[in-house]
Amino acid sequence: MTMFRGSVHIYGTMDDAVRLVASYAKHMALATGGEPSYFSVKEDWFDSFKLVAQWLEYNEDLSTDDLPEHRKVLEISCVFEPLTVTEPDRFIENTIDAALAEFYRYGGRPNFGDPTSIPWASSSDELDEEGIERFRKQFPGVID
């Protein structure tokens, strides 16, 4: 079994994450014809420094004392088994791009000098044995 994960990291609120999951899920369903995909949202300390640095770069006149309250670096991940999709890495990157375009249409675009901006980063990869085992624990009964 081959499974892929596409992740988006945002420096935002849980409301931002929910909006992004809704957009991401819609684009996955449209692109795959409804093949199963599984989403998770978790706080990600690993990428915190990179995205906070990016926020400070967008907002040169501000410092870490000015960081917006109630924001965290959140990882929104989608795991799917590409049953009909060729080039899954390219597919997931295109899907993430479409989901982000829709998400930013409604505010938070990472513009220079905008303190309400929501920086992001993304990644995609094939799950290795350890990744599949973590997936089984997170979504019991989905795969045998």
Side-chain angles (χ1 to χ4, degrees):
M1 165 187 358
T2 302
M3 299 191 80
F4 279 80
R5 173 182 44 236
S7 298
V8 180
H9 297 80
I10 61 170
Y11 176 58
T13 64
M14 192 54 79
D15 287 346
D16 296 326
V18 169
R19 279 192 312 124
L20 185 53
V21 167
S23 176
Y24 197 175
K26 177 180 85 175
H27 285 279
M28 281 297 290
L30 290 171
T32 64
E35 290 178 13
S37 48
Y38 305 90
F39 290 85
S40 67
V41 177
K42 68 179 182 179
E43 197 167 341
D44 183 358
W45 289 103
F46 183 75
D47 284 314
S48 292
F49 299 110
K50 180 171 56 175
L51 286 181
V52 168
Q54 186 179 349
W55 185 86
L56 290 170
E57 181 182 320
Y58 285 134
N59 302 286
E60 294 173 347
D61 298 337
L62 304 178
S63 71
T64 53
D65 294 336
D66 300 307
L67 289 170
E69 292 184 19
H70 309 296
R71 285 198 187 176
K72 302 174 181 178
V73 174
L74 300 168
E75 178 186 21
I76 296 99
S77 291
C78 173
V79 175
F80 75 107
E81 185 176 0
L83 302 175
T84 60
V85 174
T86 59
E87 296 187 62
D89 276 336
R90 190 84 209 118
F91 164 77
I92 199 73
E93 290 168 13
N94 290 338
T95 304
I96 287 171
D97 288 346
L100 285 166
E102 181 176 319
F103 172 76
Y104 283 119
R105 194 174 311 137
Y106 301 106
R109 184 167 296 283
N111 298 321
F112 284 96
D114 179 3
T116 63
S117 65
I118 303 169
W120 64 275
S122 66
S123 63
S124 63
D125 59 344
E126 183 176 343
L127 293 182
D128 58 12
E129 296 273 334
E130 188 177 303
I132 290 175
E133 192 55 39
R134 278 195 308 273
F135 176 79
R136 279 190 174 116
K137 288 178 183 174
Q138 190 172 13
F139 296 99
V142 171
I143 54 177
D144 296 324

